[in-house]
Amino acid sequence: MSSAFLGMPPFPQAARRALADTQQRRNLAGATRTIRHKRAEVVGELPDWEELREAGRALKERTLRHLDHYLVQLEERVTAAGGQVHWARDAAEANRIVTRLVQETGEREVVKVKSMTTQETGLNRALETAGITAYETDLAELIVQLGDDLPSHILVPAIHRNRAEIRELFRRTMPDAEGVGDDPAELAEAARRYLRQKFLRAKVGISGANFLVAETGTAVVVESEGNGRMCLTLPETLISVVGIEKVVPTWQDLEVYLQLLPRSSTGERMNPYTSTWTGTQDGDGPRGFHLVLLDGGRTDTLADRIGRQTLNCIRCSACLNVCPVYERTGGHAYGSVYPGPIGAVLNPQLRGTGTETDRSLPFASTLCGACYEVCPVKIDIPEVLVHLRARVVEETGGRRHTPTPEAVAMRAARWVFSSPARLSAAQRLAALGSRVVARRGRIARLPGPLAGWTDARDAPAPAGEPFRQWWERTHR
Amino acid sequence: MSTARDEILARVRAALADVPESERPADVPVKRAYATGGDQPGSAPETVALFTERLADYGATVRTVSSGRAATEVARTLASRGASRLVVPRWFPPAWSAQLAAAGMRSDEPPLSVDELDAVDAVVTTAALAIAETGTLVLDGGPGQGRRAVTLVPDFHLCVLRADQVVASVPQALSRLDPLRPLTFVSGPSATSDIELERVAGVHGPRTLEVLVVR
Ligand code: SF4
């Protein structure tokens, strides 16, 4: 449990290291291919997919532009339904609140259902310091936790481990698992046995939430294994840690997201289990419900008019699965629980650009646009990347954090981007429709001073050139 | 305690300085141009057939039975799995449980402990409704469904519903559900794809799900 992303090398070094790990690349390439195909199939089934995406985007825009209103409404409804709402300005405050709530129950063990937000805050370590043991119950999270490893994918955090590696891990760390084989069904059964008594005895559960409905105070958890239901239902106390951007206005709005999320995420028409609850219910489930609302850099993201759309993200991971850079470098290179294209735009905004890693992330992309094409809430990730690149170059002011030619190009870009008139002229000249960069892997030459920038860094891999060669040619 | 709250709300308002004071949430346009499935009557035979097919896709066993044979089929399904210790929540329709041996049946009244729930072979419930397009059952704790733990801890869940409870789409389902009740959407038995993305059915929730649609 001592693993952390803190102090990780910046993206280019970490990526180069990962590129050398052929086993990981093979695991990842196979996994992302499978999931891409499944997604395409179930998305293709819905003739109204584009309308759903647009509604998903617009609802988030409505929410974010009136976030204060919806947060206050949410708090009021959760409280009226018997829950308690806590506010945390940053990760440390969230961890302190949760630790105190657990201590108040007198318990020393908690069961956890996969939650990106508590990974982001490093909750498990904070609990450990306070003498509280947190059991991750999602199979992939369990694999990561037992291996003292780091998650590398939003949906399948142990995507970088194959069955043989997992078998070895289980044999080593689980009591009574010496004889377990490497068939996934057998491994899942071992995990079931290992966790069953923990679920049945648990007094405190910790979760995140995929959505919070302001109108009703309802929380929603979308999952597959039933570990979520266990954590949400059996304990006496439930603590949910959720980012403030997870609010949606009304119950009806879930009709959009409950269609967008499973199809984009696991490539299923619907995930096995979705639980919704509103406060507490007599005779059914926990008697105490605490909702911890986390800012943790989200208001900074909200303040950036281009970056704001990043908060639309419903953490489906579709953008990871289509990203040529992610597929080859893996998730760890991003130095965060949020890897891939979304990580490249979210981390520098949530954490700021104070570290070399966060400064390098906006450059961890070929701007091919595939992430935007699949994003169920239409986040224009390339647009945000370009915006953040400009910011990094501006902040570092020519110090050698980024290659010098690029800094020059970015200053030119800033000149263009800083004026709407110049920008639209550049866009018209580039004949790229509404976007500065072209989709589908081809980047057109931008006019004038921007030409150097498109030539230098963002040229796509010529057809047939292996990524590694391309990477080394363009990134060394 | 209220300082973090006030500070976060103040940060949010400061971040939204570009939003005009006069703008209301409803002023941000949201086009609901997507399909709501509104034109299909819930109980149409095609709707029920689609539900059956889609739920079976996830590895659940789904059968349609006539109301005259419902009680027989309930008893037979349980017997074929060797399930004799049963939980049958309050207000499960007697017409469907008529052929079950009273000796093995418990009602969860008063509530059973988790260990008692862990010791039963199966739970038999109704559902609030079902969604054809996604092959989903929804439980809301209503008559014959019991609290959430009852359909979670036992390893075998037999769910019996009427054909007219099957709606076409997710939007239709949400408009009929009460968000103030705890809801569980079930699309097949529990599953994981966490190891090399190979789907394995049956992890922590009931490993077996059978559904009878009574028409
Ligand atoms: S950015 Fe879009 S595609 Fe990527 S995880 Fe978030 S919602 Fe999914």
Side-chain angles (χ1 to χ4, degrees):
Chain A
M1 252 178 271
S2 60
S3 302
F5 286 109
L6 284 169
M8 288 218 22
F11 187 84
Q13 280 99 295
R16 231 171 260 133
R17 202 166 305 155
L19 281 170
D21 185 344
T22 31
Q23 175 66 58
Q24 172 183 293
R25 287 187 61 193
R26 216 174 296 131
N27 293 354
L28 252 184
T32 52
R33 194 180 324 113
T34 310
I35 206 161
R36 267 199 313 271
H37 290 156
K38 281 179 69 183
R39 176 201 166 272
E41 221 165 275
V42 293
V43 163
E45 250 177 28
L46 293 187
D48 58 340
W49 184 252
E50 284 310 317
E51 286 77 13
L52 284 167
R53 273 181 91 205
E54 173 50 28
R57 184 206 61 77
L59 284 166
K60 284 287 181 177
E61 185 180 356
R62 175 181 284 177
T63 311
L64 292 173
R65 287 177 73 88
H66 297 276
L67 190 58
D68 51 336
H69 163 79
Y70 288 119
L71 287 171
V72 169
Q73 188 184 28
L74 173 76
E75 178 187 44
E76 184 191 302
R77 299 298 145 86
V78 170
T79 310
Q84 255 180 282
V85 178
H86 311 260
W87 301 72
R89 279 164 286 211
D90 54 27
E93 188 167 29
N95 293 346
R96 276 199 305 278
I97 293 170
V98 176
T99 305
R100 176 174 52 80
L101 291 171
V102 177
Q103 281 166 341
E104 281 170 11
T105 67
E107 294 296 320
R108 317 217 46 106
E109 287 187 352
V110 300
V111 286
K112 276 186 74 199
V113 52
K114 181 180 166 195
S115 138
M116 307 288 309
T117 312
T118 61
Q119 285 171 22
E120 181 189 323
T121 66
L123 177 64
N124 289 5
R125 283 169 148 231
L127 291 173
E128 197 181 48
T129 310
I132 298 161
T133 308
Y135 292 102
E136 291 293 349
T137 63
D138 180 77
L139 179 53
E141 291 289 345
L142 178 69
I143 294 167
V144 168
Q145 189 182 41
L146 290 175
D148 196 12
D149 201 349
L150 292 166
S152 66
H153 188 279
I154 292 179
L155 174 72
V156 199
I159 202 166
H160 57 292
R161 297 265 169 243
N162 66 17
R163 61 183 72 193
E165 293 171 301
I166 296 166
R167 178 196 59 206
E168 288 320 308
L169 176 67
F170 279 14
R171 286 185 175 179
R172 203 173 69 235
T173 54
M174 282 182 183
D176 318 316
E178 305 89 34
V180 72
D182 67 1
D183 175 29
E186 225 181 296
L187 291 165
E189 170 64 24
R192 176 187 164 99
R193 278 199 313 271
Y194 175 75
L195 288 172
R196 183 97 184 153
Q197 285 308 311
K198 299 196 185 353
F199 283 133
L200 301 189
R201 303 280 156 262
K203 295 281 183 282
V204 182
I206 295 181
S207 81
N210 295 90
F211 306 100
L212 298 168
V213 182
E215 171 193 48
T216 56
T218 307
V220 182
V221 164
V222 171
E223 54 130 354
S224 294
E225 296 171 16
N227 60 317
R229 293 177 70 190
M230 291 277 180
C231 294
L232 302 172
T233 311
L234 298 183
E236 284 164 11
T237 304
L238 172 62
I239 305 167
S240 303
V241 185
V242 190
I244 53 173
E245 84 285 16
K246 288 290 158 67
V247 188
V248 297
T250 69
W251 175 251
Q252 189 198 354
D253 301 336
L254 290 177
E255 73 188 17
V256 175
Y257 297 108
L258 289 184
Q259 296 193 73
L260 289 174
L261 180 55
R263 289 181 201 253
S264 299
S265 179
T266 51
E268 293 170 301
R269 295 184 183 107
M270 193 63 97
N271 49 288
Y273 298 134
T274 296
S275 298
T276 76
W277 72 97
T278 305
T280 54
Q281 184 83 7
D282 275 344
D284 189 346
R287 280 180 300 204
F289 169 53
H290 298 273
L291 176 62
V292 182
L293 292 172
L294 171 70
D295 177 349
R298 286 155 176 82
T299 48
D300 295 335
T301 312
L302 189 69
D304 184 321
R305 288 179 208 183
I306 293 176
R308 182 178 294 164
Q309 57 183 313
T310 315
L311 299 176
N312 292 5
C313 178
I314 56 174
R315 310 280 190 263
C316 72
S317 71
C319 58
L320 278 62
N321 302 325
V322 298
C323 178
V325 176
Y326 174 84
E327 182 176 314
R328 286 149 176 105
T329 62
H332 292 154
Y334 295 79
S336 158
V337 293
Y338 304 113
I342 180 61
V345 290
L346 190 59
N347 299 311
Q349 296 194 84
L350 290 184
R351 306 193 295 209
T353 45
T355 71
E356 196 69 33
T357 302
D358 287 326
R359 275 195 296 273
S360 62
L361 284 178
F363 299 91
S365 164
T366 65
L367 298 183
C368 77
C371 47
Y372 171 76
E373 301 272 320
V374 295
C375 179
V377 285
K378 294 173 90 166
I379 302 173
D380 194 337
I381 295 177
E383 182 191 23
V384 183
L385 283 167
V386 169
H387 171 68
L388 292 174
R389 286 177 183 192
R391 199 168 103 188
V392 168
V393 173
E394 172 127 21
E395 283 167 4
T396 54
R399 276 178 285 125
R400 296 179 57 91
H401 290 292
T402 50
T404 313
E406 181 160 64
V408 173
M410 288 312 297
R411 270 196 291 275
R414 200 167 68 234
W415 177 79
V416 172
F417 289 126
S418 63
S419 149
R422 282 195 291 256
L423 176 57
S424 64
Q427 284 171 327
R428 266 198 313 277
L429 279 169
L432 293 173
S434 63
R435 295 163 44 83
V436 179
V437 292
R439 312 234 178 103
R440 305 194 199 290
R442 292 217 48 131
I443 314 285
R445 253 178 90 98
L446 290 174
L450 284 184
W453 170 55
T454 44
D455 285 350
R457 175 164 289 268
D458 300 303
E465 182 183 20
F467 178 83
R468 188 201 292 250
Q469 263 173 37
W470 168 80
W471 178 275
E472 289 180 351
R473 184 171 60 79
T474 53
H475 291 73
R476 289 217 179 226
Chain B
M1 270 325 289
S2 70
T3 57
R5 175 188 190 274
D6 296 345
E7 200 177 318
I8 292 171
L9 288 173
R11 286 180 192 171
V12 169
R13 288 179 188 128
L16 296 171
D18 60 308
V19 177
E21 192 78 38
S22 58
E23 184 181 295
R24 302 273 76 94
D27 297 339
V28 183
V30 174
K31 262 198 281 164
R32 294 187 194 267
Y34 50 84
T36 52
D39 41 348
Q40 249 174 312
S43 50
E46 312 87 77
T47 312
V48 176
L50 184 65
F51 167 68
T52 310
E53 178 196 313
R54 297 260 156 114
L55 181 54
D57 256 7
Y58 302 121
T61 309
V62 196
R63 283 179 298 140
T64 307
V65 300
S66 69
S67 64
R69 289 200 43 84
T72 314
E73 288 300 328
V74 167
R76 216 172 54 115
T77 305
L78 291 164
S80 72
R81 301 236 179 220
S84 54
R85 290 166 303 174
L86 309 174
V87 178
V88 185
R90 194 146 65 128
W91 297 311
F92 185 85
W96 293 345
S97 60
Q99 292 185 29
L100 298 177
M105 271 170 35
R106 316 196 49 178
S107 70
D108 194 42
E109 296 273 330
L112 300 170
S113 68
V114 274
D115 288 326
E116 287 172 306
L117 283 176
D118 199 26
V120 303
D121 300 318
V123 57
V124 190
T125 72
T126 60
L129 54 78
I131 309 169
E133 184 168 67
T134 56
T136 304
L137 293 166
V138 186
L139 307 170
D140 70 355
Q145 296 172 55
R147 63 196 164 107
R148 286 172 289 171
V150 159
T151 42
L152 174 61
V153 178
D155 207 17
F156 173 29
H157 180 192
L158 172 61
C159 183
V160 192
L161 70 156
R162 301 185 316 272
D164 64 11
Q165 291 181 287
V166 183
V167 303
S169 67
V170 174
Q172 282 187 351
L174 288 184
S175 70
R176 284 167 171 77
L177 290 164
D178 176 1
L180 299 184
R181 311 178 82 122
L183 303 177
T184 309
F185 293 64
V186 178
S187 306
S190 72
T192 183
S193 302
D194 281 352
I195 301 170
E196 295 183 12
L197 290 180
E198 189 171 302
R199 188 182 165 99
V200 175
V203 196
H204 303 297
R207 284 182 285 189
T208 310
L209 175 66
E210 283 214 38
V211 178
L212 296 177
V213 184
V214 181
R215 59 155 72 256

